[in-house]
Amino acid sequence: MFGIEPVTTFELAYKGLIIGFIASAPTGPIGILGIQRTLRNGPRYGLVTGLGAVFSDVLYGLVTALGMSFIMDFMTDQRNIFWMEIIGSAMLFVFGLYMFRSDPTKYFHPDRMNGNKSSYLHHFITSLLLTLSNPLIIILFIALFARFAFIVPCQPVPQVVGFLTMTCGAALWWVVLTYGVNRIRKTFNVKYVRILNLSVGGVVIIASLLGFVFTLMGKL
């Protein structure tokens, strides 16, 4: 159960995709900002807002990875990875529970639904700065990296591929969010924000519980 297992490029690639998608999914202030800009100016403006957040998330992901790489250097067998995955699953469960119980609608301001369009660059930079102002995202990355054993010392090429797919996963979430919101823009109201948050929180909770089960069974 605790033997050394090689990590393939494909494995880090699909893990990166999942991590990026989950890391971008929480419907906090930046998520609401993207939704409001989509409803006000169209999906392209919402997507540019999301890309600013993606860029910030990747920066925090890299910072987290550099910090964890010093910790992960002792990962010479599967026993240590096993405990990291258990701890990561526990952290994800707490995060999912927090999302499930939080109310993101407090960030939704109908009075900001009207206004002139700013440039794409303005939307990107404001989103980037807003996301950078919330370093708590590092905690989520620690949980995700630990859960998926994503940091692998001495394997630079697979790790780079993993970070590239993580970026793609984060961007994919914003494509789904902005164009999904745009599809229902005529009927969109604040209740959809709450439903979205409950759905994402529920998925994270289920994923963390499955992580516990699979790790204990020695499948991951």
Side-chain angles (χ1 to χ4, degrees):
M1 177 178 177
F2 296 108
I4 299 175
E5 297 180 2
V7 178
T8 65
T9 301
F10 174 76
E11 185 177 353
L12 284 184
Y14 82 76
K15 286 181 177 180
L17 194 66
I18 295 172
I19 289 171
F21 197 86
I22 294 177
S24 292
T27 314
I30 190 64
I32 299 300
L33 180 63
I35 290 174
Q36 291 188 155
R37 286 178 172 177
T38 297
L39 294 173
R40 184 179 65 196
N41 299 325
R44 292 182 181 179
Y45 287 87
L47 184 57
V48 170
T49 298
L51 292 179
V54 168
F55 189 78
S56 174
D57 287 345
V58 170
L59 288 178
Y60 274 128
L62 289 172
V63 170
T64 306
L66 289 174
M68 290 187 68
S69 64
F70 294 104
I71 302 174
M72 297 292 286
D73 283 340
F74 78 100
M75 295 300 228
T76 57
D77 60 56
Q78 196 68 12
R79 185 183 303 275
N80 297 324
I81 296 177
F82 170 84
W83 287 112
M84 288 293 290
E85 290 178 349
I86 288 292
I87 294 171
S89 294
M91 293 175 67
L92 275 182
F93 179 82
V94 172
F95 176 77
L97 189 61
Y98 169 78
M99 281 191 62
F100 195 81
R101 300 187 61 182
S102 64
D103 181 15
T105 59
K106 62 185 178 182
Y107 302 114
F108 196 85
H109 302 288
D111 56 305
R112 298 180 185 175
M113 296 301 295
N114 300 313
N116 297 324
K117 291 183 179 180
S118 300
S119 67
Y120 287 126
L121 181 61
H122 170 79
H123 284 68
F124 179 87
I125 292 177
T126 54
S127 172
L128 171 64
L129 294 177
L130 178 61
T131 311
L132 282 175
S133 68
N134 181 26
L136 292 179
I137 187 67
I138 290 178
I139 297 176
L140 177 57
F141 275 120
I142 291 174
L144 289 168
F145 288 172
R147 171 65 202 82
F148 290 98
F150 185 69
I151 306 303
V152 183
C154 304
Q155 295 194 39
V157 174
Q159 196 72 81
V160 169
V161 172
F163 273 100
L164 289 175
T165 58
M166 186 182 79
T167 305
C168 292
L172 177 61
W173 164 256
W174 280 97
V175 171
V176 172
L177 178 65
T178 54
Y179 283 88
V181 168
N182 188 63
R183 293 276 294 183
I184 60 173
R185 62 185 305 147
K186 292 183 179 179
T187 60
F188 187 90
N189 58 57
V190 72
K191 73 177 183 180
Y192 287 107
V193 176
R194 180 61 175 157
I195 292 173
L196 178 62
N197 203 63
L198 287 173
S199 300
V200 174
V203 169
V204 172
I205 289 174
I206 293 172
S208 67
L209 293 176
L210 289 175
F212 273 120
V213 173
F214 289 143
T215 302
L216 292 173
M217 293 175 60
K219 297 296 184 181
L220 295 180

